[in-house]
Amino acid sequence: MYLQLSRLGRGPVGVRDSTATGCALTAVVGAFAAVARADAYTAAVAALSCFGIAGRRAAQRPNRQRVSRGHWAPPLARTC
């Protein structure tokens, strides 16, 4: 047995205040894992990275005060 570690940066501050981002992240990780059946670790790291990029893109949209679910969908679709 071996241990794999990855270090990912934190997403935008608004993510922690946005409802349902954890649920959305779970769905994205599941989708990546379904495609990369043999390598769940790489799928999870790729999904988290993709989600972080989408979060940064959502934060750049107008109304940066709060990153809401409505702001997440377009960047997430274009990124992942």
Side-chain angles (χ1 to χ4, degrees):
M1 179 177 245
Y2 61 94
L3 177 68
Q4 289 181 288
L5 297 173
S6 293
R7 182 181 174 133
L8 301 171
R10 294 182 179 186
V13 174
V15 172
R16 70 172 180 240
D17 299 330
S18 182
T19 304
T21 53
C23 299
L25 177 57
T26 301
V28 171
V29 170
F32 275 64
V35 172
R37 293 180 186 178
D39 192 359
Y41 177 80
T42 301
V45 171
L48 288 165
S49 297
C50 178
F51 203 78
I53 292 167
R56 284 192 291 278
R57 288 182 178 174
Q60 292 172 354
R61 296 176 69 118
N63 186 12
R64 286 199 239 162
Q65 309 275 323
R66 181 179 165 101
V67 180
S68 66
R69 284 181 289 178
H71 288 129
W72 274 89
L76 190 59
R78 284 192 298 272
T79 304
C80 301

